[in-house]
Amino acid sequence: MKEKLILSIVTPTTGKYSEYWLQQLLKVKGNVEFVLVYYPNIPIRPVDDPRVKILTSPYKGEMMQRFVGLLNASGEYVLALDDDDFVHPDIENLTSEYFQRFPESWILRLKKENIDFKDEERIKKDWGEIPDVAQLDICKKTPENPYPYQQGNYTGLLEIPVVPLDNRFDFRYAVLPFTSRKDNLGYHFENFNNIVWKNELVQKALTDLSQATKVLGAVTWIPSTGFDRLLGLFVQAKFFQKDAIIGHWMPKPEQIRYIDKPPGLKPPRFHVISDALLVKQYPQYGYLWNLFLEKLYGVPRTLAKTVKWKFLKNR
């Protein structure tokens, strides 16, 4: 009898990943699959490993690639990983042990280390041993301990609350474009990538998200970017429970190595388009309106960055 697949690692790619990245990915142990998703009309690099599933999305764009990959993820849990970031080879075992202890959790947030893309020594450093999840204490935010994060130096499992979506809509964000948000502060998170999610919840959210992209009749609007935050917030909105603890944040040493590049090497992205799908589907949540308006007022700055980025790229 075939073992139940524990973890799907889903990665959109153009096939330009390094051989070192692929070698490290395939070192992940346990009952895991790797889903690589290309966009149309680009050469596909074959990978000689039965755990690798290679797909092509019907349309070009990050959102479509990730969507197709997640729809085809067969694991009980899923992890979205870019093709220049690295994950600990024992991630499957960590996932199994964590959800055995916390079967009601939605997510396991992994400890991420940001590493400069030129720091090859740090990128290739041996991974530290993952702490035994069964033995870790729970770090809770309490009146006696209001800051358990300890500037990232906590040693147990840090409780992660759901995004406070029911925060009130602040009218100031509509009329004062440079007002700084306060409702996004705390231990909650908005993104989807580099976090282990319960796949059952993700699949249900993807169904609703596909409906949210419909504008009028057969007309559908699929943003090319911004899927990371869109899906992270979409899942939490669909299953929202006020003040719920939805999972935990792992302590050091890191389980994700996020390869950081200078802003000049990254194309600017218009997240406001994907944020619009959030307020379209869940207009009752003030938090999402505050987010949308903040990003809407940021469009002129993003346009300016885009012009600058294209100029520098073509020099």
Side-chain angles (χ1 to χ4, degrees):
M1 183 176 176
K2 190 176 180 180
E3 282 188 276
K4 187 175 183 180
L5 188 63
I6 300 299
L7 180 65
S8 296
I9 299 178
V10 178
T11 302
T13 185
T14 60
K16 296 179 181 178
Y17 52 80
S18 69
E19 282 297 327
Y20 179 76
W21 177 83
L22 180 62
Q23 292 168 9
Q24 298 309 301
L25 181 69
L26 298 181
K27 285 184 179 180
V28 173
K29 308 169 190 173
N31 201 358
V32 61
E33 71 171 357
F34 310 103
V35 184
L36 302 180
V37 188
Y38 289 74
Y39 61 74
N41 302 318
I42 58 172
I44 292 177
R45 292 173 61 175
V47 180
D48 186 17
D49 191 305
R51 300 172 299 167
V52 176
K53 183 189 295 184
I54 297 179
L55 306 172
T56 300
S57 71
Y59 302 105
K60 184 177 179 179
E62 170 207 4
M63 177 169 173
M64 203 64 212
Q65 284 178 270
R66 294 189 188 278
F67 203 104
V68 168
L70 290 168
L71 279 177
N72 287 275
S74 305
E76 190 172 357
Y77 308 97
V78 292
L79 168 68
L81 186 75
D82 285 341
D83 65 0
D84 57 355
D85 298 327
F86 299 87
V87 63
H88 199 291
D90 294 326
I91 185 62
E92 187 262 17
N93 185 61
L94 169 62
T95 298
S96 295
E97 292 186 350
Y98 172 79
F99 284 101
Q100 284 175 14
R101 181 176 176 184
F102 302 100
E104 300 303 316
S105 285
W106 304 4
I107 61 102
L108 170 61
R109 188 171 184 180
L110 303 176
K111 192 67 175 179
K112 183 171 71 174
E113 181 76 16
N114 289 0
I115 303 175
D116 185 274
F117 76 112
K118 293 182 179 179
D119 191 350
E120 188 171 332
E121 181 179 353
R122 181 68 186 86
I123 292 172
K124 295 184 177 181
K125 184 179 179 181
D126 290 342
W127 291 92
E129 184 176 354
I130 297 177
D132 184 353
V133 170
Q135 302 300 319
L136 291 176
D137 293 331
I138 307 300
C139 301
K140 300 182 179 183
K141 188 176 181 180
T142 64
E144 297 75 27
N145 185 24
Y147 303 108
Y149 181 70
Q150 298 177 6
Q151 297 183 323
N153 294 316
Y154 58 95
T155 57
L157 289 166
L158 182 63
E159 285 189 338
I160 300 295
V162 70
V163 169
L165 296 170
D166 58 340
N167 282 353
R168 67 179 180 86
F169 166 64
D170 193 328
F171 186 72
R172 291 177 301 169
Y173 302 134
V175 296
L176 301 173
F178 300 108
T179 302
S180 297
R181 285 179 62 199
K182 302 294 184 184
D183 63 331
N184 59 342
L185 304 178
Y187 297 148
H188 62 271
F189 64 92
E190 297 178 346
N191 58 302
F192 184 86
N193 294 357
N194 298 322
I195 295 170
V196 178
W197 293 79
K198 190 172 286 185
N199 197 13
E200 178 185 5
L201 303 181
V202 174
Q203 295 303 318
K204 292 177 180 178
L206 289 174
T207 300
D208 284 3
L209 181 53
S210 67
Q211 296 299 313
T213 62
K214 294 182 178 180
V215 180
L216 181 65
V219 179
T220 299
W221 177 256
I222 302 176
S224 60
T225 61
F227 193 64
D228 183 11
R229 183 172 65 212
L230 170 61
L231 187 57
L233 286 172
F234 205 97
V235 177
Q236 294 183 72
K238 178 173 175 60
F239 300 102
F240 180 72
Q241 302 167 26
K242 183 178 176 61
D243 298 327
I245 298 299
I246 63 172
H248 298 84
W249 198 348
M250 284 291 295
K252 297 176 181 179
E254 78 277 3
Q255 301 92 49
I256 290 284
R257 289 178 180 167
Y258 179 84
I259 309 308
D260 203 8
K261 297 177 182 176
L265 297 179
K266 303 176 185 177
R269 297 187 172 189
F270 293 91
H271 290 98
V272 68
I273 301 174
S274 55
D275 294 337
L277 296 181
L278 290 168
V279 296
K280 175 179 181 289
Q281 187 74 7
Y282 300 106
Q284 69 270 36
Y285 293 131
Y287 183 101
L288 299 180
W289 281 103
N290 296 338
L291 168 67
F292 172 71
L293 288 170
E294 178 192 47
K295 298 305 177 184
L296 181 63
Y297 281 124
V299 167
R301 292 193 298 272
T302 304
L303 283 171
K305 290 179 181 178
T306 301
V307 172
K308 181 179 179 181
W309 179 77
K310 289 185 175 180
F311 172 77
L312 294 175
K313 184 180 179 182
N314 295 326
R315 285 182 63 180

